[in-house]
Amino acid sequence: MPKNLVAMSDLSNEEVYELIRRGLELKNGAKPLAREDLFVGNLFFENSTRTKHSFEVAEHKLKLNVINFETSTSSINKGESLYDTCKTLEMIDCKILVIRHPEREYYKNLRKLNIPLVSGGDGSGEHPSQCLLDLMTMYERFGKIEGLNVVIVGDIKNSRVARSNYNILTRLGAKVNFVCPEVFVDKTLGQVVDFDEIISQVDVCMLLRVQHERHDGQVIFDKESYHTGYGLTLERYKKLKDGAIIMHPAPVNRGVEIADELVEAEKSLIFEQMKNGMYVRQAILEKIIRDNNL
Ligand code: CP
């Protein structure tokens, strides 16, 4: 069976640190692996800017041949299944598939494939490459993960970023709390706390977008009251510790989860996260190539 990366449970703690350190090495100028003989397919069935294009840049940096699968012009529109689509790419010598799909655990239907999968996000399930770039960003700033005090704020229930980060951060010895309205609570994750009480204690304040596309019109939402109750306002920013950082996987809804003027504030690493994503995705692809003897 191929060695995939579809959830953080696919990685041991040592493998997580190995990917973080390799991402940092690449950022500091190390030469990436070069494999001009391999084809990789990118299949994005859900909108994406960062994940899709930073995987694509990472693939080019590794000299891979990139197939950007076009969902709108593909035979998916003639009723072909995801499995048959992926099997087709496997049969025409594609060696790795990077897939984002709106269905949670879509990869369970792809177990018979003999080609490694890297998930770019599965609905509200997990987002492992985002999680690894988040960890790389924290490690780069603090030199450690263990002992960090992290608060994750927003639509926890519908967030694959919250799920991936909670699982691995707690495994690596960080403390994770959540801030969210009642409607966004996920009881399977950690405890929910008061934003104004915790803000002055955290090392990392991770903000999340409200995932309207996953609400089926069931959530009544008012931008201004959300911003006042759960957004990073100027008042809350002033309460952060000196060394604290702000993170957000983006896309950002300015003025909702974070005040417009704070997106590029001194403590914000939001755009640096995007840069780190390109490096950690190179590290992920190198590992997939190595682990699968491609
Ligand atoms: N953070 C993230 O996954 O962004 P995209 O949806 O633009 O890929």
Side-chain angles (χ1 to χ4, degrees):
M1 211 170 109
K3 184 144 171 50
N4 301 323
L5 177 56
V6 294
M8 290 309 288
S9 56
D10 288 328
L11 298 170
S12 67
N13 292 0
E14 292 69 34
E15 287 175 310
V16 170
Y17 280 118
E18 179 195 307
L19 285 167
I20 294 171
R21 292 194 184 110
R22 181 60 181 157
L24 288 168
E25 260 177 35
L26 290 162
K27 190 174 182 179
N28 290 324
K31 210 169 164 225
L33 187 77
R35 288 296 301 269
E36 289 162 21
D37 55 320
L38 296 181
F39 281 81
V40 55
N42 297 328
L43 295 83
F44 279 71
F45 296 93
E46 204 190 65
N47 295 345
S48 171
T49 297
R50 276 146 291 274
T51 311
K52 182 175 179 178
H53 296 298
S54 63
F55 261 118
E56 194 177 341
V57 172
E59 289 154 2
H60 282 291
K61 285 183 183 257
L62 269 58
K63 307 273 188 274
L64 298 166
N65 297 288
V66 181
I67 301 171
N68 276 317
F69 179 82
E70 290 291 341
T71 49
S72 62
T73 55
S74 74
S75 289
I76 290 269
N77 296 315
K78 299 177 194 164
E80 191 164 38
S81 69
L82 178 62
Y83 175 83
D84 288 346
T85 302
C86 294
K87 189 73 191 169
T88 302
L89 291 168
E90 180 190 321
M91 296 318 290
I92 60 170
D93 240 2
C94 205
K95 296 298 183 197
I96 304 171
L97 297 179
V98 177
I99 306 176
R100 170 174 285 190
H101 199 280
E103 189 184 319
R104 198 161 165 175
E105 299 186 337
Y106 68 83
Y107 44 81
K108 286 195 168 166
N109 295 326
L110 304 179
R111 280 184 180 134
K112 284 200 318 192
L113 294 174
N114 192 26
I115 178 172
L117 307 178
V118 179
S119 183
D122 63 306
S124 58
E126 288 219 31
H127 195 346
S129 66
Q130 175 69 46
C131 181
L132 285 161
L133 78 86
D134 293 341
L135 293 171
M136 175 178 162
T137 306
M138 291 180 215
Y139 189 86
E140 184 178 34
R141 174 54 66 101
F142 297 104
K144 63 172 189 177
I145 301 294
E146 190 175 2
L148 292 180
N149 189 346
V150 180
V151 67
I152 305 182
V153 186
D155 185 356
I156 309 303
K157 188 176 175 178
N158 296 293
S159 172
R160 53 194 174 210
V161 177
R163 215 169 313 287
S164 284
N165 270 299
Y166 177 73
N167 290 340
I168 191 65
L169 282 167
T170 49
R171 224 170 78 191
L172 297 178
K175 185 173 162 191
V176 182
N177 283 296
F178 294 102
V179 167
C180 62
E182 184 64 31
V183 69
F184 297 151
V185 171
D186 182 335
K187 291 199 173 84
T188 65
L189 300 181
Q191 75 169 2
V192 177
V193 296
D194 185 279
F195 203 2
D196 293 305
E197 280 178 21
I198 200 151
I199 187 83
S200 60
Q201 300 163 36
V202 299
D203 300 300
V204 179
C205 178
M206 183 183 289
L207 307 163
L208 302 174
R209 185 175 64 85
V210 176
Q211 313 272 319
H212 296 288
E213 70 276 22
R214 300 196 185 121
H215 294 166
D216 297 327
Q218 299 298 306
V219 174
I220 299 162
F221 183 77
D222 174 68
K223 284 182 188 176
E224 280 175 15
S225 54
Y226 182 88
H227 185 63
T228 308
Y230 303 96
L232 188 67
T233 58
L234 293 173
E235 293 70 32
R236 290 190 178 113
Y237 181 80
K238 285 182 200 149
K239 291 185 192 164
L240 283 164
K241 297 198 285 203
D242 276 352
I245 60 171
I246 302 167
M247 299 177 72
H248 191 312
V252 173
N253 288 135
R254 289 172 181 254
V256 183
E257 59 268 15
I258 179 168
D260 182 15
E261 53 271 62
L262 294 179
V263 174
E264 294 187 74
E266 199 190 327
K267 290 182 165 58
S268 170
L269 296 182
I270 295 173
F271 287 103
E272 200 60 25
Q273 285 174 262
M274 297 177 203
K275 182 181 263 306
N276 287 346
M278 179 181 65
Y279 294 110
V280 94
R281 288 178 173 119
Q282 286 177 62
I284 291 169
L285 291 164
E286 285 183 339
K287 180 170 171 54
I288 289 285
I289 291 169
R290 202 174 53 242
D291 288 354
N292 290 285
N293 296 314
L294 299 177

